[in-house]
Amino acid sequence: MKIRLVKPYVGDDELKNLEGVMQRAWLGRGPLCKEFEDKWNEFLGVKASTAVNSGTAALHLALKAYNFPAGKKVLVPAMTFCSTANAPIYCGLEPVFVDVDEETLSIDIEDMKRKYDKDCVAVIPVHFGGHPAKMEEIVPWAHEQGLKVISDCAHVVGGMYKGKRLGTWADISCFSFQEKKILVTGDGGMISSNDPELIESLRSIKEVGMSKDTFLRFQQQERGESIGDPLHWAYDVKALGYKYNMCDVIAAIGLAQLRKVDYIVKNRIDTLNKLLKGIEGLNHIKPAMPYDMTLAYYDFMVRLSSREVRDQFIVYLQTHNIATGVHTMPVPHFSYYRQFKADTPVADRIWEQYVILPFYVDMTDEEIEYVIKHVKEFDDALKPVSKKR
Ligand SMILES: Cc1ncc(COP(=O)(O)O)c(C=O)c1O
């Protein structure tokens, strides 16, 4: 048996939608992007969204929407993908790395308050692995200080937290539909907010700043509205924009994924439940966070006692054809980010103990049992070592 780490839940529904795109012979940003945005609004329960070509682009634009003066600071958790820290840097702002909470792996509230100073303009909490950051504490505190909250929801689709859907807590929320995510389009992202004007301000910027997009001009030509107008092509560029728009090929996949999102979320929770039950009570290998079955998780992550044991575990699983992953080192550990001062002792210490195990929709019972069997075998083999200590 060979077990993949992740596997997007795609098939005939996505193919059918893609066939429609080919038949219409319009592949760029068009009607499907708008439909995807509308359906996403309904699903999430927000007033407005704009579809982009990655979660990274979503974070950049969401922060850009506020036009903060260059040199200001943004609070960012140390344990995240580097895109969270890149957003402030792209905007000429400084990321201030905040330590993480050992239990949830999300931003540590006390350290966030310690690192805050009057130059901070925003905070970007991340729901790491799908476990919610403590939004009920972060949002009111941030607003009291006059900070904007930009939520990095790359690991979240469908989770309810304290009766409110994740992705609706912050001033603006950013999603990713990249290959490994819960809802997958290959690459893609969404920016959502209950402030429609904020989202509206991004529509032209995400399309290189053009005042009139290509599809609109195509439609006008199709309807014959531009006949006799030699300037039918004319558009202005009023601001520096980026080529960040989604296209209909990706939106077609997204729409198919969104139709089955309830199944995706439910199936993942059932699978996660089986995996967690299977490793219950092990001596050395523990769930990485307090998994809550009312949420929607991105990773199945476990924690071992040290880097040495974790790395042995990875190699052991490799020899049994079970794929593993390590989501990330703390961002300040990557060479580029060493220029930003970071005092994050918890993240520095704990990241080496984590490993991600296979977890995807429609994982068979046989696959689940195969993974559990080998996790248990490794845990058992560690017993004598721990007794000697
Ligand atoms: C926490 C987090 N934020 C942002 C991103 C960026 O998303 P994308 O790959 O769609 O650009 C990722 C991607 O893995 C992520 O894990």
Side-chain angles (χ1 to χ4, degrees):
M1 198 175 288
K2 207 169 183 157
I3 317 261
R4 284 170 66 156
L5 188 60
V6 293
K7 200 196 277 179
Y9 181 60
V10 288
D12 290 345
D13 299 323
E14 286 74 13
L15 277 175
K16 199 162 150 258
N17 277 10
L18 285 172
E19 208 179 307
V21 174
M22 301 307 151
Q23 278 163 359
R24 270 195 305 280
W26 185 270
L27 278 63
R29 189 175 89 70
L32 295 190
C33 290
K34 167 86 173 71
E35 194 182 331
F36 188 31
E37 288 168 354
D38 291 345
K39 297 249 161 76
W40 180 262
N41 289 343
E42 265 172 51
F43 161 72
L44 198 63
V46 284
K47 290 193 180 143
S49 296
T50 191
V52 289
N53 55 17
S54 71
T56 306
L59 285 162
H60 179 189
L61 286 191
L63 199 51
K64 178 99 191 138
Y66 292 104
N67 279 317
F68 293 120
K72 295 286 179 187
K73 298 177 183 170
V74 178
L75 298 156
V76 170
M79 284 283 277
T80 181
F81 185 60
C82 55
S83 295
T84 321
N86 288 354
I89 301 169
Y90 294 154
C91 295
L93 307 167
E94 183 192 330
V96 174
F97 289 106
V98 178
D99 213 348
V100 294
D101 176 88
E102 182 149 2
E103 191 177 84
T104 62
L105 303 184
S106 283
I107 197 162
D108 179 84
I109 309 276
E110 289 315 308
D111 196 44
M112 175 182 74
K113 292 179 180 171
R114 255 194 310 273
K115 301 260 168 78
Y116 165 80
D117 69 26
K118 62 173 181 23
D119 284 330
C120 292
V121 288
V123 54
I124 314 186
V126 178
H127 308 301
F128 194 78
H131 198 79
K134 290 183 178 144
M135 299 303 275
E136 76 283 14
E137 291 182 43
I138 296 167
V139 177
W141 172 82
H143 286 167
E144 257 170 49
Q145 322 308 317
L147 305 185
K148 294 294 175 193
V149 184
I150 292 132
S151 172
D152 183 338
C153 295
H155 296 181
V156 159
V157 167
M160 292 289 280
Y161 177 57
K162 297 191 180 286
K164 202 168 148 84
R165 205 177 264 290
L166 284 170
T168 63
W169 282 81
D171 296 304
I172 192 162
S173 298
C174 302
F175 296 84
S176 162
F177 308 132
Q178 174 262 352
E179 174 69 17
K180 285 157 71 184
K181 299 300 186 302
I182 297 176
L183 194 146
V184 178
T185 61
D187 267 318
M190 193 70 85
I191 312 171
S192 299
S193 174
N194 275 322
D195 180 347
E197 271 177 38
L198 196 66
I199 296 293
E200 215 44 53
S201 73
L202 298 174
R203 291 203 197 277
S204 144
I205 291 185
K206 75 170 182 182
E207 262 184 285
V208 206
M210 290 193 296
S211 62
K212 210 165 147 189
D213 69 68
T214 314
F215 185 63
L216 188 73
R217 282 180 279 143
F218 165 75
Q219 278 180 311
Q220 285 173 338
Q221 255 175 346
E222 285 288 289
R223 290 195 291 258
E225 287 167 10
S226 42
I227 293 173
D229 177 7
L231 283 179
H232 67 88
W233 55 269
Y235 60 87
D236 192 12
V237 178
K238 290 186 185 148
L240 177 67
Y242 306 86
K243 182 64 182 167
Y244 280 172
N245 61 282
M246 187 177 270
C247 69
D248 268 19
V249 175
I250 298 302
I253 302 173
L255 280 163
Q257 289 271 288
L258 201 50
R259 269 200 299 277
K260 48 197 192 189
V261 69
D262 290 341
Y263 177 79
I264 292 175
V265 169
K266 164 101 180 47
N267 186 281
R268 287 174 72 91
I269 283 295
D270 291 347
T271 301
L272 186 59
N273 216 351
K274 288 180 193 170
L275 288 162
L276 287 168
K277 284 218 164 83
I279 64 156
E280 221 166 59
L282 295 188
N283 286 315
H284 307 275
I285 302 170
K286 306 281 180 197
M289 47 182 70
Y291 285 103
D292 169 351
M293 292 304 126
T294 64
L295 292 163
Y297 284 92
Y298 163 60
D299 284 327
F300 171 42
M301 212 187 320
V302 293
R303 184 174 180 179
L304 292 96
S305 56
S306 68
R307 179 168 192 162
E308 193 192 352
V309 181
R310 189 224 25 206
D311 289 353
Q312 286 166 6
F313 181 50
I314 290 174
V315 173
Y316 178 79
L317 294 181
Q318 276 171 343
T319 59
H320 292 282
N321 287 320
I322 299 172
T324 54
V326 171
H327 195 284
T328 182
M329 303 198 280
V331 179
H333 289 210
F334 291 103
S335 348
Y336 173 73
Y337 303 92
R338 288 188 200 137
Q339 61 190 293
F340 302 102
K341 213 172 70 202
D343 175 24
T344 56
V346 176
D348 296 347
R349 173 170 54 80
I350 63 174
W351 80 270
E352 302 183 317
Q353 301 169 358
Y354 292 99
V355 58
I356 300 168
L357 299 180
F359 171 44
Y360 44 84
V361 178
D362 279 358
M363 203 172 167
T364 65
D365 283 344
E366 209 188 348
E367 289 170 330
I368 294 172
E369 276 156 29
Y370 185 79
V371 172
I372 291 171
K373 174 175 174 286
H374 288 93
V375 173
K376 280 182 163 168
E377 269 176 21
F378 186 84
D379 190 80
D380 277 347
L382 282 177
K383 267 183 195 158
V385 179
S386 107
K387 272 179 190 157
K388 258 190 232 162
R389 279 197 213 129

